Amino acid sequence: MPKGFEVLTECQLHKRSPVLNSVLCEKLAAWWLPERQTDDRAPNIDIAATCSIGDRPGLLLIEAKAHDQELIHESAGRRLHATDKAESQARREASHKTIGKAIAEAKTGLSTASGLTYQISRDTCYQMSNRFAWSWKLAAEGIPVVLIYLGFLDADDMADKGKPFRSHQQWEDLVKDHGDGIVPRQCWESPCKVNGQTFVPIIRTLAIPLTPFPHHS
């Protein structure tokens, strides 16, 4: 998910979808959200797909960016105050508490599994923190995970919004700098075992040349 131009919806892993069974979705919702708010939103995953990791069925989670500001703007923590008119402040505060607890649990779990020091947090670099937290939780529940931070190269159509990436090294440096103090630099490309299941975060780039539409006279 998404699936071509037919299904444009990004995946929220606590909701029923082709990539996870409903029992696990319910467990994920109970982990991330308050008891009576399990239909609330969870992080949107740019691309989520099933795959084989080793000899086991697993999940591929992709966080994709086309210019530097997309990552730089994600340095903040999760907002405590409700910004959506449909969300009450009480609901926001309740989910803020459970999300903080879930990420703290994942921080401990990742540090123990990898032997590295993770400092993922609800209150800083929230997007990267929640990507790592959800990856850990999936592995802890028996599903191996590859988490890809994907930078699109030479996305000049986005140049009015930020600086496009010109090389893999530029993107890799930005990702690692962004994660300093949150995820250890040594974690990238280094598989670890969580409850016996593989979790590996990796950094990749992709160039997709855009073909102009033909002009018809």
Side-chain angles (χ1 to χ4, degrees):
M1 297 180 69
K3 189 176 181 181
F5 292 103
E6 297 176 359
V7 180
L8 300 178
T9 304
E10 293 179 346
C11 183
Q12 294 187 49
L13 293 167
H14 73 309
K15 295 184 177 180
R16 292 186 180 185
S17 72
V19 301
L20 289 176
N21 67 64
S22 59
V23 173
L24 181 52
C25 288
E26 291 174 2
K27 186 176 290 188
L28 294 172
W31 168 70
W32 192 255
L33 295 167
E35 183 177 357
R36 289 179 292 279
Q37 295 178 205
T38 53
D39 288 333
D40 285 2
R41 292 184 60 182
N44 287 323
I45 307 299
D46 287 338
I47 300 175
T50 57
C51 64
S52 294
I53 301 174
D55 59 352
R56 291 187 58 83
L59 276 184
L60 178 68
L61 306 179
I62 299 178
E63 182 62 34
K65 308 293 186 187
H67 58 79
D68 64 341
Q69 293 302 314
E70 285 192 288
L71 195 62
I72 292 169
H73 285 166
E74 297 299 340
S75 297
R78 184 179 189 266
R79 295 184 183 91
L80 174 58
H81 299 290
T83 56
D84 187 336
K85 292 181 180 179
E87 180 185 33
S88 72
Q89 185 60 34
R91 290 179 72 90
R92 184 73 176 184
E93 291 176 2
S95 63
H96 204 67
K97 182 177 180 180
T98 57
I99 289 169
K101 181 179 178 181
I103 293 178
E105 181 187 4
K107 178 182 74 171
T108 299
L110 284 166
S111 298
T112 300
S114 66
L116 303 173
T117 301
Y118 279 82
Q119 294 292 347
I120 58 175
S121 169
R122 176 198 62 198
D123 301 322
T124 186
C125 289
Y126 173 62
Q127 188 182 77
M128 181 174 280
S129 291
N130 71 50
R131 270 40 176 181
F132 273 79
W134 279 82
S135 298
W136 170 82
K137 181 62 173 177
L138 288 165
E141 295 295 337
I143 298 180
V145 176
V146 174
L147 173 64
I148 300 181
Y149 264 70
L150 178 65
F152 289 106
L153 298 180
D154 302 322
D156 292 320
D157 55 314
M158 304 290 286
D160 61 326
K161 298 181 180 179
K163 294 180 181 178
F165 311 120
R166 300 302 182 191
S167 69
H168 176 86
Q169 192 62 55
Q170 181 187 3
W171 169 240
E172 180 179 335
D173 290 345
L174 183 64
V175 172
K176 289 182 176 180
D177 288 347
H178 177 76
D180 271 346
I182 302 299
V183 301
R185 287 183 174 240
Q186 307 97 302
C187 78
W188 298 102
E189 317 292 330
S190 299
C192 70
K193 293 291 186 180
V194 177
N195 194 24
Q197 304 304 319
T198 298
F199 165 56
V200 57
I202 62 179
I203 301 170
R204 294 292 184 269
T205 47
L206 180 65
I208 304 178
L210 297 179
T211 304
F213 286 104
H215 293 284
H216 297 286
S217 57

